[in-house]
């Protein structure tokens, strides 16, 4: 999100202790004996706690890794579940897929918690910026897109307008989540017409019902 | 600036449908991330990067409101608006007030 800078500024800001006790995704993959992708999925599903460095690199908290290791030692199913989730064999019934395009780690975490709680069968993928998100839409063909408006790369409204130029986008259900109030959304109105918009402070109470409808609509469209 | 227990209960009822477990899980994750948000905001201030400061304040505004920290959410909103208007000095002044509050939250037992 922010550029990395040198500490030569005249600002006298107290330093924050670096959280160098946490791990990279690759380190956690080695520790758990999993593919990097499986670890990413565990983060997406809220099974591991992650944060991002100012340079945008993901770090996974030591405590959450230790928790998974402890559960494994006790015969817990968290890690195995993630592996199964990541390597679902072809030919199984269609697993509905949701793509969240959101740069805030906080809301990535909250949406992961909500989906884990209300839609444990859904395959949640996450993109942290608009350009990656746009690429992932084509690659993953998600049933439902949950898109933030203010994103690095390209903003969510431009992303939506771009997707609408592709015929296959008609199969995707769309939900917009935003911290912008109604007045602040005005510049993006060109892309938001007819799209359900959730104000982020209301996401817990509004997303489950809206996502239920979108998943049902996606299943209906897929079956037609 | 923290909400009292009664206010917090009302907040969880209103914004989390009364799901205290979900609220606690989300808050615990936020506390892990806040120190890194502070690093991001500090880097933006040091680089005189108003857009980067706007982004971090914009994100924090909603997160703090979602956590029931309305006063801090308003502070973040002020930083966002100042940064968006190119008033970097005002935004930076706001950031100097917000960052210790974030670190204090992060230091709370989860």
């Amino acid at each position: 999100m922010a550029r990395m800078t040198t500490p030569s500024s005249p600002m006298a800001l107290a330093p924050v202790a670096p959280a160098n006790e946490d791990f990279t995704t690759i380190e956690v993959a080695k520790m758990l004996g999993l593919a990097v992708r499986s670890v990413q999925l565990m983060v997406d599903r809220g099974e591991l706690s992650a944060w991002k460095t100012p340079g945008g690199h993901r770090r996974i908290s030591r405590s959450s890794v230790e928790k998974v290791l402890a559960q494994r030692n006790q015969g817990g199913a968290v890690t195995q579940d993630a592996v199964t989730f990541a390597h679902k064999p072809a030919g199984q019934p269609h697993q509905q897929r949701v793509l969240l395009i959101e740069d805030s780690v906080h809301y990535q975490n909250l949406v992961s918690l909500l989906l884990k709680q209300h839609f444990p069968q859904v395959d949640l993928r996450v993109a942290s910026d608009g350009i990656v998100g746009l690429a992932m839409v084509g690659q993953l063909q998600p049933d439902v897109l949950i898109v933030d408006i203010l994103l690095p790369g390209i903003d969510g409204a431009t992303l939506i307008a771009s997707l609408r130029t592709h015929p296959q986008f008609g199969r995707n259900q769309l939900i917009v989540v935003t911290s912008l109030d109604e007045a602040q959304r005005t510049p993006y109105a060109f892309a938001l017409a007819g799209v359900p918009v959730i104000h982020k402070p209301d996401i817990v109470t509004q997303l489950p019902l809206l996502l239920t409808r979108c998943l049902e609509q996606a299943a209906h469209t897929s079956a037609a | 600036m923290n909400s009292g227990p009664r206010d917090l209960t009302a907040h969880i009822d209103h914004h989390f449908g009364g799901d205290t477990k979900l609220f606690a899980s989300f808050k615990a994750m936020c506390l892990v991330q806040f120190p890194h948000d502070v690093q991001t905001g500090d880097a933006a201030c040091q680089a005189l990067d108003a857009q980067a400061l706007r982004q971090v304040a914009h994100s924090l505004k909603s997160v703090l409101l979602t956590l029931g920290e309305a006063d801090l959410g308003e502070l973040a909103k002020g930083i966002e608006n100042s940064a968006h208007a190119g008033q970097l000095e005002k935004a930076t002044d706001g950031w100097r007030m917000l960052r210790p509050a974030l670190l204090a939250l992060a230091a709370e037992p989860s």
Side-chain angles (χ1 to χ4, degrees), chain A residues 103-152:
Chain A
D103 64 317
S104 165
V105 173
H106 297 286
Y107 284 98
Q108 291 177 6
N109 288 336
L110 184 52
V111 171
S112 293
L113 286 171
L114 280 170
L115 265 69
K116 190 177 177 185
Q117 184 180 54
H118 294 277
F119 308 93
Q121 78 286 2
V122 166
D123 177 5
L124 173 66
R125 307 297 178 96
V126 180
S128 295
D129 70 64
I131 294 171
V132 172
L134 195 56
M136 286 177 73
V137 172
Q139 182 186 3
L140 298 173
Q141 291 295 305
D143 297 280
V144 181
L145 273 169
I146 304 174
V147 184
D148 187 16
I149 294 180
L150 288 188
L151 290 167

Side-chain angles (χ1 to χ4, degrees), chain A residues 1-19 22 43 46-54 61 63 103-107 109-110 113-114 117-118 148 150-152 178-181 184 188 199-205, chain B residues 11-17 19 21-22 25-49 51-67 77 80-81 92 95-96 99 103:
Chain A
M1 185 185 300
R3 296 194 304 252
M4 295 294 286
T5 61
T6 60
S8 58
S9 160
M11 280 197 66
L13 295 170
V16 176
D22 294 336
V43 171
E47 293 164 2
L48 290 168
S49 296
W51 51 275
K52 286 195 175 177
T53 68
S61 79
S63 62
D103 64 317
S104 165
V105 173
H106 297 286
Y107 284 98
N109 288 336
L110 184 52
L113 286 171
L114 280 170
Q117 184 180 54
H118 294 277
D148 187 16
L150 288 188
L151 290 167
T178 183
S179 299
L180 300 174
D181 58 36
Q184 291 173 314
Y188 308 100
H199 195 218
K200 282 184 180 175
D202 300 321
I203 197 168
V204 174
T205 54
Chain B
H11 174 83
I12 294 172
D13 285 345
H14 183 71
H15 290 281
F16 282 78
D19 191 339
K21 188 177 174 185
L22 178 64
S25 297
F26 176 56
K27 184 170 181 178
M29 290 174 148
C30 291
L31 301 190
V32 172
Q33 179 64 25
F34 279 154
H36 309 290
D37 293 333
V38 167
Q39 287 184 322
T40 303
D42 287 353
C45 289
Q46 288 171 349
L48 306 178
D49 187 340
Q51 178 58 26
L53 186 56
R54 181 200 177 199
Q55 272 191 299
V56 70
H58 174 77
S59 170
L60 286 168
K61 172 187 70 178
S62 289
V63 173
L64 290 164
L65 287 173
T66 304
L67 289 175
K77 183 179 180 181
E80 177 194 8
N81 290 341
T92 301
W95 180 252
R96 286 178 187 276
R99 69 182 304 285
L103 293 175

Side-chain angles (χ1 to χ4, degrees), chain A residues 38-223:
Chain A
S38 298
V39 175
Q40 291 168 337
L41 288 167
M42 292 176 74
V43 171
D44 292 347
R45 300 176 71 189
E47 293 164 2
L48 290 168
S49 296
W51 51 275
K52 286 195 175 177
T53 68
H57 300 290
R58 178 174 278 177
R59 295 290 181 268
I60 299 172
S61 79
R62 175 182 290 268
S63 62
S64 70
V65 175
E66 288 172 347
K67 187 176 173 185
V68 168
L69 287 169
Q71 285 174 323
R72 175 186 283 182
N73 290 337
Q74 292 165 9
V78 171
T79 303
Q80 183 58 43
D81 182 44
V83 174
T84 303
F85 177 80
H87 302 293
K88 190 177 181 69
Q92 293 289 313
H94 173 65
Q95 182 182 27
Q96 288 192 297
R97 184 172 290 156
V98 171
L99 174 60
L100 171 67
I101 307 177
E102 165 67 80
D103 64 317
S104 165
V105 173
H106 297 286
Y107 284 98
Q108 291 177 6
N109 288 336
L110 184 52
V111 171
S112 293
L113 286 171
L114 280 170
L115 265 69
K116 190 177 177 185
Q117 184 180 54
H118 294 277
F119 308 93
Q121 78 286 2
V122 166
D123 177 5
L124 173 66
R125 307 297 178 96
V126 180
S128 295
D129 70 64
I131 294 171
V132 172
L134 195 56
M136 286 177 73
V137 172
Q139 182 186 3
L140 298 173
Q141 291 295 305
D143 297 280
V144 181
L145 273 169
I146 304 174
V147 184
D148 187 16
I149 294 180
L150 288 188
L151 290 167
I154 59 173
D155 66 67
T158 305
L159 184 148
I160 292 165
S162 174
L163 288 173
R164 281 183 170 145
T165 65
H166 297 277
Q168 66 208 50
F169 178 62
R171 290 163 41 199
N172 301 125
Q173 299 293 308
L174 178 63
I175 298 170
V176 168
V177 293
T178 183
S179 299
L180 300 174
D181 58 36
E182 290 198 20
Q184 291 173 314
R185 292 174 209 165
T186 304
Y188 308 100
F190 68 95
L192 301 181
V195 177
V197 179
I198 298 176
H199 195 218
K200 282 184 180 175
D202 300 321
I203 197 168
V204 174
T205 54
Q206 294 188 4
L207 183 62
L209 180 59
L210 200 48
L211 187 54
T212 297
R213 289 178 185 159
C214 286
L215 289 169
E216 287 173 356
Q217 184 63 40
H220 180 74
T221 303
S222 179

